[in-house]
Amino acid sequence: MARTHISGFPRIGAHRELKFAQESFWRGESDDAYLREVGKELRARHWELQRAAGLDFVAAGDFAWYDPMLNLTALLGALPERFGFEPKTLSLAQYHELARGNKAQPAMEMTKWFDTNYHYLVPELGPDTTFDGGVDWLFEEIDEALALDLAVKPVLIGPITYLWLSKSRVAGFDRLSLLPRLVIRYLRILDTLKARGIEWVQLDEPALCLDLEADWLEAFSAVYNVLGDSGIKVLLATYFDTAAEHAPTVAKLPVHGVHIDLVKAPQQLEAWCSALPADKVLSVGVIDGRNIWRADLAAIAASLKSLYAQRGERLWIAPSCSLAHVPVTLASEKKLDAELKSWLAFATEKLDELSTIALALRYLGAGLPGTGLPAAAQAALAAASRALESRRHSGAVFNVLVQRRVAAITETMASRKSAFAERSRVQRHSLKLPLLPTTTIGSFPQTPAIRQARAAYRRGEMRALEYLERMRAETATVVRRQEELGLDVLVHGEVERNDMVEFFADKLWGYALTENGWIQNYGSQCVKPPIIYGDIYRPEPMIVDAACHAQSLTDRLVKGVLTGPVTMLEWSFVRDDQPRSTTALQLALVIRDEVVDLEKAGIRIIQIDEPAFREGLPLRKADWSGYFDWATRAFRISAGGVSDATQIHTHMCYSEFNDILPSIAALDADVITIETSRSSMELLDGFGEFAYPNGIGPGVYDTHSSRVPSVEAMQRLLERACEVIPAERLWVNPDCGLKTRGWPETEAALSNMVLAARTLRQRLAVQ
Ligand code: GLN
Ligand code: ZN
């Protein structure tokens, strides 16, 4: 029979147990032992789900206290030297200091994991990195699985991907020079696993799905010639895109099997089938690890029939990538519409899908379709087909009003009336902002009182009017505090927003919200992506009231903040029955309507957040321009309905932006506020080749850490920025929103920021 396995299961727990345990550990309310206990219990629970579903292996190594890349760094013993921690005795408290920073050191850099919304901690390597080994957590976890009598397949990020994603603070340092030492450490790890009787280990190399340069490809072959021959069976896993061009090379390596992502890149199957010798395992990722739709099990089984006939148990069935990108279980969804629920599969349900496919193949493969197939598998296949049929014909999916508007979109809708130079002249005249205007990104601390009110309202324990009054009172506080801080452009603080996507999704038709559909974003931070199942329609304005209320409280300008079409798309579970570009256009139209309504209501600065703009980018450069075409058009349509006098901002964060500056410029926002502080304004390096033409606020401090930055530090960053951006176009703002921060550190940081801006402003005025 074809074998079934996964690359990883969501580690946070169905009720976010890991998050709550972590946070209580950080607050000092619980100790090491408690956190370890919670981790152990979650691992055991998730293994039991995999075993119960009939998987041939359970995955280990997918667990991490904060992030798997950081766990690997701790395992390899490659801790950033600046912390001064001893790798082999790293404590959980120190581990979390690496991730979150401490009094002496800022946190390690964090950035997006390929084209997902998950963030990993970037390894900081240098000429002195030795990989002498670190903590034994991985081996302890494997021992736990073995003690439970489970067939366990450890999953580790491979050395090429690890090095590729790492950074060095030493200019000109070639990370590849570390490879020999790194490979020795991997060999030791494989030996340790072998000594425990482990048969297979999976090494994840999603970096192979990028456009790797020749030296990296050579390094890849060299490494796997060694690792493949180490006496333990290696499954080399690729995912997130095609790796087809590497099939001939990989076929010659001594690795024992390859995993490929057939959801994202089904076209690569042929190349792998013909290249890979029959004695090697081919693991096909046929269940979508990144989306929540129930799979067409019968169709998948049928498509694998001949492959199964050729490879038998050397065909493995798996999700495309780790299931950490989908919520844990549908069982926690009590309120979801029954029809919609029948169309979905979360991580736990996907485990059963794998088993059903393997069973179906076995009987199909015997040439006896339908006969002998166990009743449960037959029922599962039938239920999947029924669900697909109901989704295809559901009246909840199609909205003729939306379809008509999308068809009527014209080119002029994607442009502002005048070019930036003219708009900026008009705006300078009417907005009368000082040089180096200060602002924030939108959200302010979400206090316990705010969260409690929202929860009470959601549970039906607080009347709508009382809730509205509470939120208005909170907004008033936020506005007053910003005035006191002396900020130039205020925001209403997003007090009523739980999440920047879910908040809007809740107000739009075609979107459904889950109760417990959490996925890990970074560390303990989880998000609950809403589900786009149908055509998107805005029945009424969404934030006009809140923005106008805030504006009525102050003489300063209040910026209306809303989420852009690309981010709405990227941070939702999207339809797989129409192209993303079509869904993006539908979203663009509803945001455009809201922006126009804000302008009509007297809001003169409007920010359309696009933090996910970079992460929608395909991994392969050849696909970039296609993406930019529709993503840029969607943004421009959302911003294109207002007059020249209305200033459009956008905001982006947690990505590398240097290589896409021209496309960011093509959005033609009047101002962009953009994350830069964690990488010490690396962004500005990109300005050497491309001068960003419009207004820009490079973030001067990291809002994801509780450290309060000094006036001098921010001033230095601003001075650097001034060297490449004319002061007339420079804004001063933090990296991102402040909703996860507390008030004391927020006020301290912003007051320093305002001071830094004022000092520089005065100096420039004198010159
Ligand atoms: N306006 C949002 C906020 O301030 C932006 C968040 C983000 O970029 N992720 O919270
Ligand atoms: Zn941000």
Side-chain angles (χ1 to χ4, degrees), residues 590-662:
V590 299
I591 293 155
R592 177 186 175 94
D593 292 347
E594 187 74 15
V595 168
V596 168
D597 283 346
L598 282 166
E599 179 187 59
K600 274 191 209 142
I603 302 296
R604 296 157 70 190
I605 304 184
I606 301 166
Q607 176 175 306
I608 307 172
D609 287 332
E610 284 293 18
F613 188 71
R614 175 69 163 83
E615 94 192 25
L617 205 57
L619 296 180
R620 297 292 183 142
K621 286 224 164 82
D623 303 327
W624 280 21
S625 72
Y627 166 77
F628 280 133
D629 285 352
W630 65 255
T632 306
R633 184 153 175 264
F635 181 90
R636 293 175 61 117
I637 289 169
S638 72
V642 290
S643 74
D644 288 348
T646 297
Q647 190 169 68
I648 297 286
H649 289 214
T650 188
H651 165 70
M652 293 185 190
C653 54
Y654 284 101
S655 284
E656 311 279 341
F657 294 110
N658 296 34
D659 56 344
I660 63 160
L661 285 173

Side-chain angles (χ1 to χ4, degrees), residues 441 500 611 651-654 675 704 735-737:
I441 308 304
M500 65 186 291
H651 165 70
M652 293 185 190
C653 54
Y654 284 101
E675 184 264 341
H704 291 80
D735 264 351
C736 194

